[in-house]
């Protein structure tokens, strides 16, 4: 009997180790590649960058972007009001419209968190696509999605460009990149260094366009300019070996700005002056905290940045889908709505999958209020 119990323990232990190995099989690839070790051409470009010194990219803004020491009582706060940090019921979804985009207009379909499909003058641009259930190197850990995607990757129409802001897991998702490589033909536009990750994940070099700040490329008749952001990067404990940024997308007559992740900084005025005004700005409004005031702007700062940029319509992103901070689930959009009304700023707050046309922006209807 003792031998039987021992054999059973060995079998159970072996099965557990096999399961753990299976669950962790993709983690090494998820962590990406150190770009300085990915080839001499990329290394040379990185070392020439004005944003690179002493072996890492940095923010030229004088303010720090380091996450500060957690404030006293943070562990207590983590355990308190957990239910308020997620929606009280199912988030309502909409089915994105089919058909060709307008050859003259600007329309956006927010798909959740930062993932947004923008149609500008007949072309489609997909920003920071993340279809995985968790923004994490291992799908059994990390914050879980509060709502499904309103459209599957297989149902996504053909896009003309895929733009990435930085390499954090909630903005750059290996599984999604691999699927888009197989199902789409569009190039990936990325800040300097991120091409090393994409190459490891199977994206052909001819589909990767890496840009430093203020460098630009033309894709499908649209002008893409990589612009500044106040943030950081890293998929491991090593930080800032790839660049982060925002994107200007300009057609012959219309312009869109995507902020990515960023704290507020005075440089938005310069971006607006050089590249604006913008028909639409996609501004992050969630995951802010006093512990990291310089890397994620709050809703009031998002309005400030939108005005600095010369934006006409603001669409909030980076909220509702993943819990990444201690604030209540709907607080970002409630604060944004108050600030927008106080400063006469036009905003749209679509449900995931709902299309909004900047030339006929729908009134805000407070759809999230029943979920708080």
């Amino acid at each position: 009997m003792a031998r039987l119990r021992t054999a059973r323990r060995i079998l159970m232990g072996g099965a557990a180790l096999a399961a753990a190995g299976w669950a962790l099989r993709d983690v090494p690839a998820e962590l990406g590649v150190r770009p300085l070790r990915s080839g001499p051409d990329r290394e040379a470009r990185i070392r020439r960058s004005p944003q690179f010194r002493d072996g890492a990219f940095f923010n030229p803004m004088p303010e720090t972007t380091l996450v500060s020491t957690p404030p006293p009582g943070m562990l207590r706060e983590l355990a308190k009001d957990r239910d308020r940090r997620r929606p009280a019921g199912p988030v309502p979804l909409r089915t994105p419209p089919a058909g060709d985009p307008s050859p003259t207009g600007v329309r956006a379909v927010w798909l959740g968190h930062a993932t947004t499909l923008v149609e500008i003058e007949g072309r489609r641009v997909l920003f920071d696509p993340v279809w995985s259930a968790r923004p994490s190197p291992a799908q059994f850990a990390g914050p879980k999605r509060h709502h499904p995607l309103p459209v599957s990757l297989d149902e996504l129409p053909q896009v003309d460009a895929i733009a990435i802001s930085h390499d954090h897991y909630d903005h750059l998702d290996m599984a999604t990149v691999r699927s888009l490589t197989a199902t789409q033909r569009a190039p990936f536009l990325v800040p300097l260094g991120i091409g090393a990750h994409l190459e490891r994940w199977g994206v052909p070099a001819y589909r990767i366009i890496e840009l430093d700040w203020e460098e630009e490329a033309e894709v499908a008749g649209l002008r893409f300019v990589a612009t500044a952001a106040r943030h950081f990067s890293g998929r491991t404990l090593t930080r800032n070996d790839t660049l982060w940024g925002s994107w200007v997308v300009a057609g012959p007559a219309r312009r869109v700005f995507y902020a990515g992740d960023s704290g507020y900084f005075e440089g938005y005025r310069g971006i607006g002056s050089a590249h604006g005004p913008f028909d639409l700005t996609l501004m992050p409004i969630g995951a802010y905290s006093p512990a990291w005031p310089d890397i994620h702007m709050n809703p009031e700062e998002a309005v400030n940045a939108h005005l600095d940029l010369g934006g006409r319509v603001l669409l909030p992103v980076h909220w509702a889908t993943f819990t990444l901070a201690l604030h209540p689930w709907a607080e970002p959009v409630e604060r944004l709505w108050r600030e927008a009304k106080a400063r006469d700023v036009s905003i749209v707050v679509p449900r995931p999958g709902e299309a909004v046309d900047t030339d006929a922006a729908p009134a805000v209807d407070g759809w999230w209020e029943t979920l708080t």
Side-chain angles (χ1 to χ4, degrees):
M1 186 63 72
R3 289 180 181 175
L4 183 59
R5 285 197 297 267
T6 300
R8 188 178 296 131
R9 290 194 199 101
I10 292 172
L11 287 172
M12 291 177 64
L17 285 173
W22 178 260
L24 296 171
R25 69 194 185 282
D26 287 333
V27 169
E30 286 273 12
L31 300 180
V33 174
R34 301 293 300 277
L36 287 177
R37 303 173 185 170
S38 65
D41 292 342
R42 181 176 288 111
E43 178 186 2
R45 284 196 66 199
I46 288 173
R47 293 194 184 279
R48 287 197 303 267
S49 171
Q51 281 64 248
F52 189 84
R53 70 182 179 204
D54 300 327
F57 288 100
F58 70 99
N59 287 286
M61 309 85 177
E63 304 89 342
T64 180
T65 54
L66 294 177
V67 177
S68 65
T69 301
M74 177 169 266
L75 290 178
R76 184 172 62 250
E77 291 298 320
L78 280 170
K80 188 175 70 174
D81 295 332
R82 292 178 63 186
D83 287 344
R84 296 189 65 203
R85 295 197 288 274
R86 58 191 177 208
V91 174
L93 306 180
R94 295 292 182 267
T95 301
D100 295 331
S102 164
T104 59
V106 175
R107 186 170 69 173
V109 180
W110 176 59
L111 299 170
H113 196 56
T115 304
T116 310
L117 180 64
V118 172
E119 299 172 349
I120 173 171
E121 295 187 274
R123 303 300 186 184
R124 291 189 177 102
V125 181
L126 182 61
F127 290 102
D128 283 354
V130 175
W131 258 258
S132 289
R134 299 177 190 267
S136 169
Q139 287 299 297
F140 60 82
K144 192 172 183 180
R145 184 179 288 276
H146 294 313
H147 64 84
L149 272 297
V151 61
S152 70
L153 276 170
D154 291 339
E155 297 169 326
L156 196 68
Q158 286 294 308
V159 301
D160 295 283
I162 302 162
I164 307 293
S165 63
H166 63 297
D167 72 358
H168 286 159
Y169 290 97
D170 58 323
H171 294 258
L172 179 64
D173 178 49
M174 182 182 75
T176 301
V177 166
R178 285 177 167 174
S179 292
L180 291 172
T181 303
T183 60
Q184 298 278 339
R185 299 184 297 273
F188 292 80
L189 292 109
V190 298
L192 196 55
I194 293 178
H197 299 329
L198 302 188
E199 286 175 355
R200 178 171 187 178
W201 300 340
V203 181
Y206 69 85
R207 287 182 61 181
I208 301 172
I209 301 172
E210 284 183 81
L211 299 178
D212 202 346
W213 291 354
E214 294 305 321
E215 291 182 343
E216 61 182 69
E218 183 171 324
V219 176
L222 299 174
R223 184 169 61 94
F224 289 79
V225 186
T227 43
R230 184 180 172 196
H231 201 54
F232 68 105
S233 68
R235 297 176 75 83
T236 66
L237 295 179
T238 300
R239 292 175 56 168
N240 298 345
D241 56 359
T242 64
L243 187 58
W244 49 94
S246 54
W247 287 102
V248 169
V249 183
R254 313 298 290 267
R255 295 181 179 89
V256 172
F257 179 79
Y258 173 58
D261 269 5
S262 181
Y264 177 78
F265 66 105
E266 296 295 333
Y268 285 119
R269 291 192 181 94
I271 294 172
S273 177
H275 303 292
F278 296 97
D279 298 275
L280 176 69
T281 69
L282 307 173
M283 304 302 300
I285 65 166
Y288 48 82
S289 170
W292 50 83
D294 299 329
I295 60 174
H296 284 165
M297 68 182 81
N298 63 38
E300 294 79 15
E301 290 169 329
V303 171
N304 287 341
H306 169 81
L307 292 172
D308 290 347
L309 290 160
R312 185 162 62 86
V313 178
L314 185 160
L315 191 158
V317 299
H318 209 263
W319 79 283
T321 304
F322 303 111
T323 296
L324 302 175
L326 294 179
H327 58 68
W329 176 75
E331 182 184 281
V333 73
E334 290 170 350
R335 287 174 57 173
L336 177 74
W337 199 12
R338 286 196 300 268
E339 186 73 5
K341 286 186 286 189
R343 301 179 69 177
D344 195 25
V345 167
S346 176
I347 68 170
V348 289
V349 187
R351 297 154 181 80
E354 182 178 359
V356 290
D357 188 326
T358 60
D359 293 330
V364 179
D365 62 7
W367 59 264
W368 63 87
E369 293 176 326
T370 61
L371 303 175
T372 59

